[in-house]
């Protein structure tokens, strides 16, 4: 049975997990299902968490794996690709929403590797060593990947602002 | 060593996103409840479902649920033996078995599952019990007239009454049997529909979990052909090629004339290209 610590973590980090799943390409209709999978897995490994470390990088590992499993399904990949290159919807009712929509679509248009590293570095502000540990890559790779991810994101966002359309994967080479 | 900071342009775009982490209202409570249900019991893993930690953990609740139904199934067996010819079907549709701790209410399928609500099955089981009640009462009453019958010589009226009783018993059993069979068919149909809905949603893992539940719950299932075809498609969707091929071979062996055979073969052909 889950102890109070797990429940506290759940409440503290639920929004983080949900937002991350969306940014990792999980469709809105499936977010709840995949979020549950994440927390079931977190619960299973909760005792092994090293309290001396920060929780979010550890939690993001479960989130990333669940989203990756989700994306392995061909149907989801197909539907995700429909997002890319689509016209920005008129749902934005303010500049805030318009900007958020643009950022979200630009993120989704990025290859997974660079999208993940951009999220970890610039949205969640993980340290380079935490990213390296989570992705199991050398620090140098983290730096180069972050640099390239930022430039790719910048190009996608600029193009999105000009045309209201976010290019498809690969359009930027 | 820290990463270089964002320039103003990227900070203006990404900075506000750091605060946008609000889940829809109500989702938090639903996920917490379903997560605690899923992890709150001994897991019973299935080779098809344990493709990763996520699936394995989610199966914890389902294992418990299935075991619980096994107990209910035993109770249903005892009851079924008492009422005679209804034994098997009563067993498979034991009271409340669709309701308590439903894995489809506690898992990724959760709130979107097309499985019928608890109240529906509970009420139908209550009515089933009510309709079964007269049967044992009647059997208990049967010895009572015997002394009188021994004293009186046989006559046509007695035979006619006995024939009427026997006919009534048979009809009563038939009616209850038809009800139980109909409930079993409906329960099967709901699970198959749930599996298909998961497949349509692209959730192959949930489809397999539902089909595992179907296999364990319906010993004398009537829709194995459809279940097997769905399983092939779910395995294909998950990219589990070898298992998909194995299941497709089994499907063709078991149902060589099935109208679903073409779709099954086509599914496997896609994954083996």
């Amino acid at each position: 049975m889950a102890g109070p610590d797990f429940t506290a973590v759940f409440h503290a980090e639920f929004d983080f997990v949900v937002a991350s799943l969306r940014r990792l390409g999980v469709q809105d209709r499936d977010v709840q299902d995949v979020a549950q999978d994440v927390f079931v897995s977190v619960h299973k490994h909760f005792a092994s968490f090293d309290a001396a470390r920060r929780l979010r990088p550890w939690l993001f590992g479960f989130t990333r794996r669940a989203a990756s499993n989700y994306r392995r399904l061909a149907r989801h990949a197909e539907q995700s690709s429909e997002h890319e290159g689509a016209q920005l919807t008129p749902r934005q009712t303010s500049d805030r929403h318009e900007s958020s929509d643009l950022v979200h679509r630009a993120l989704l248009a990025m290859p997974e590797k660079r999208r993940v590293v951009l999220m970890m570095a610039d949205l969640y502000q993980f340290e380079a060593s935490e990213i390296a540990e989570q992705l199991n890559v050398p620090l140098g790779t983290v730096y180069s990947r972050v640099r390239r991810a930022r430039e790719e994101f910048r190009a996608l966002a600029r193009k999105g602002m000009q045309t209201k359309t976010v290019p498809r994967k690969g359009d930027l080479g | 060593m820290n990463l270089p900071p964002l320039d103003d342009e990227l900070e203006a775009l990404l900075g506000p996103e750091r605060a946008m982490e609000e889940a829809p209202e109500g989702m938090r409570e639903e996920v917490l409840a379903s997560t605690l249900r899923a992890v709150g019991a001994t897991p019973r893993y299935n080779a098809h479902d344990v493709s990763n930690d996520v699936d394995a953990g989610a199966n914890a609740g389902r294992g418990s649920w299935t075991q619980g139904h096994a107990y209910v199934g035993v109770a249903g067996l005892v009851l079924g033996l008492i009422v005679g010819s209804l034994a098997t079907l009563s067993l498979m549709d034991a009271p409340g078995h669709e309701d308590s701790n439903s894995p489809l209410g506690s898992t990724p399928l959760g709130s979107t599952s097309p499985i019928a609500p608890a109240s529906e099955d509970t009420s139908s089981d209550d009515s089933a019990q009510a309709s079964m009640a007269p049967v044992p009462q009647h059997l208990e009453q049967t010895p009572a007239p015997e002394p009188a019958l021994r004293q009186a010589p046989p006559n046509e009226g007695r035979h006619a009454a006995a024939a009427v009783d026997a006919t009534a018993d048979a009809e009563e059993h038939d009616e209850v049997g038809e009800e139980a069979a109909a409930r079993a068919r409906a329960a099967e149909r709901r699970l198959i529909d749930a599996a298909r809905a998961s497949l349509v949603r692209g959730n192959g893992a949930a489809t397999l979990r539902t089909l595992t539940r179907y296999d364990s719950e319906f010993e004398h299932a009537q829709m194995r052909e459809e279940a097997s075809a769905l399983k092939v498609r779910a395995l294909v969707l998950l990219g589990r090629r070898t298992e998909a091929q194995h299941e497709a071979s089994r499907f063709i062996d078991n149902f060589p004339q099935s109208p679903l055979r073409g779709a099954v073969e086509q599914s496997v052909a896609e994954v083996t290209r």
Side-chain angles (χ1 to χ4, degrees), chain B residues 2-103:
Chain B
N2 291 327
L3 291 159
L6 289 173
D7 58 33
D8 290 345
E9 182 186 14
L10 290 181
E11 180 61 35
L13 285 167
L14 292 170
E17 292 302 301
R18 294 183 194 124
M20 289 198 64
E21 295 176 356
E22 296 172 9
E25 191 176 349
M27 183 190 287
R28 175 192 302 269
E29 289 72 23
E30 287 182 25
V31 172
L32 178 59
S34 58
T35 298
L36 294 178
R37 277 200 301 272
V39 301
T42 305
R44 194 191 75 167
Y45 297 119
N46 178 285
H48 290 307
D49 284 344
V50 187
S51 57
N52 51 52
D53 281 342
V54 173
D55 277 350
N59 278 335
R62 292 178 196 104
S64 169
W65 178 88
T66 307
Q67 288 167 348
H69 282 65
Y71 299 137
V72 175
V74 171
L77 176 60
V78 174
L79 180 62
L81 289 172
I82 291 172
V83 298
S85 62
L86 304 175
T88 302
L89 289 174
S90 297
L91 167 64
M92 301 317 298
D93 201 27
H97 93 274
E98 280 288 329
D99 309 335
S100 59
N101 299 321
S102 167

Side-chain angles (χ1 to χ4, degrees), chain B residues 126-141:
Chain B
D126 287 346
S127 65
Q129 287 177 330
S131 66
M132 290 176 186
V135 176
Q137 284 173 5
H138 175 79
L139 293 174
E140 286 173 3
Q141 289 167 357

Side-chain angles (χ1 to χ4, degrees), chain B residues 98-99 102 104 113-122 186-187 190-191 194 213:
Chain B
E98 280 288 329
D99 309 335
S102 167
L104 294 179
S113 170
I115 294 292
S119 57
E120 180 183 323
D121 283 341
T122 303
R190 283 195 295 273
L191 271 188
R213 174 185 166 190

Side-chain angles (χ1 to χ4, degrees), chain A residues 110-118 135 145 149:
Chain A
M110 295 176 71
E112 183 189 352
K113 277 184 180 178
R114 291 194 284 280
R115 185 195 319 173
V116 164
V117 85
L118 188 81
L135 300 181
R145 204 176 281 180

Side-chain angles (χ1 to χ4, degrees), chain B residues 225-226 229 251 255-266:
Chain B
E225 181 178 343
E226 194 161 5
F251 176 92
F255 314 105
Q257 304 301 321
S258 171
L260 301 173
R261 178 172 176 167
V264 166
E265 289 174 334
Q266 187 178 352

